Amino acid sequence: TLLGLFVTGLGWAATEAPPSERFPILEELVRSLDANRRALGLELCKQWLSIRGGYRIVGVEYQGLKPPVEFWRPKTYGEVVDYWRQVWRFLKNEMNGWSDADRNSAATCLIEAAFGLTSVPALADEVLDTLQELAEDSAVDRQQLTQFVIRKLRFGGEKPDAKVVSRLQELDIKLTGTSFWDRFSRFVLHTNWDEDHSLKGDSVIEEEL
């Protein structure tokens, strides 16, 4: 229930409170010195940064004979984008100075959110800039970052933005490196089943090795 209150979008969260009133709660949890509260804050960040709100059939908006409650809705799409940007920047800045384990947890949140946010033109460049920075952080799980790049390049949509594809390919080159160990890690340790297949229209084609 709590997580559901921190999604953004067209009436996705079952609350009349605008994101500006919900953000301070998320902010307090992420900045908490208690590990469990901080972890909960990161879960709320994941919800906030999701570009999909799921679906609901019947909820608390229906209260007997009263008129249905009107949940918060943005006036423009740009308003939602601004809220996504706010939490992206907040988490990116907040993780600086954290321990390696906590920094990796925050990076996981950002990497998971990046699959959707790189499809938002107004955010794509900033998101990709952050991913480039994460690739240089020794605390960040390179396998997770590599598998994000693989998945996004192969299953990022029928008409992916050419600039986004180019930047993802640059990131892949960076993650691959040049040494034997770097390349072994990239193509053996960090790869996944997605590289064995390609998607063309509705067909999944198995690659020949």
Side-chain angles (χ1 to χ4, degrees):
T1 300
L2 177 63
L3 294 177
L5 294 175
F6 282 82
V7 291
T8 49
L10 302 174
W12 293 347
T15 176
E16 296 176 276
S20 59
E21 293 182 11
R22 288 177 261 160
F23 176 76
I25 300 170
L26 177 152
E27 185 179 37
E28 179 181 347
L29 287 170
V30 170
R31 288 177 171 169
S32 174
L33 297 179
D34 181 84
N36 291 326
R37 292 172 65 84
R38 193 163 58 250
L40 177 58
L42 291 178
E43 288 297 319
L44 298 186
C45 287
K46 288 181 185 180
Q47 290 293 105
W48 188 294
L49 292 171
S50 173
I51 67 170
R52 293 180 175 83
Y55 64 91
R56 295 167 52 255
I57 299 174
V58 176
V60 295
E61 66 270 34
Y62 299 105
Q63 302 177 12
L65 297 178
K66 295 181 180 179
V69 176
E70 291 291 334
F71 297 147
W72 178 84
R73 287 176 173 268
K75 294 181 176 63
T76 65
Y77 180 67
E79 188 177 359
V80 179
V81 171
D82 287 341
Y83 283 125
W84 285 331
R85 183 184 292 111
Q86 178 186 20
V87 169
W88 181 273
R89 290 180 179 177
F90 164 71
L91 186 54
K92 173 180 174 285
N93 294 330
E94 198 64 27
M95 65 187 285
N96 293 329
W98 284 7
S99 68
D100 285 359
D102 285 343
R103 233 170 37 253
N104 187 54
S105 295
T108 295
C109 176
L110 294 175
I111 293 168
E112 290 181 3
F115 191 88
L117 294 179
T118 46
S119 299
V120 180
L123 296 175
D125 276 338
E126 183 171 349
V127 170
L128 289 164
D129 286 343
T130 300
L131 295 180
Q132 286 280 354
E133 293 175 23
L134 294 181
E136 298 175 358
D137 190 337
S138 60
V140 174
D141 183 354
R142 290 178 75 86
Q143 182 181 50
Q144 185 179 41
L145 189 53
T146 299
Q147 292 183 358
F148 155 77
V149 172
I150 294 170
R151 184 163 49 98
K152 186 66 180 180
L153 283 173
R154 291 189 172 252
F155 308 111
E158 293 184 5
K159 296 180 180 180
D161 183 274
K163 184 178 179 181
V164 170
V165 170
S166 177
R167 294 203 59 188
L168 286 170
Q169 291 170 338
E170 290 175 6
L171 180 56
D172 193 16
I173 291 172
K174 185 172 190 172
L175 292 168
T176 299
T178 55
S179 70
F180 172 78
W181 176 248
D182 286 342
R183 293 177 65 79
F184 180 84
S185 297
R186 165 64 183 84
F187 294 109
V188 178
L189 300 181
H190 297 166
T191 189
N192 60 14
W193 292 106
D194 288 340
E195 286 201 295
D196 295 337
H197 304 84
S198 61
L199 185 66
K200 293 184 178 179
D202 295 328
S203 301
V204 178
I205 301 173
E206 186 171 352
E207 302 285 1
E208 294 184 7
L209 299 178

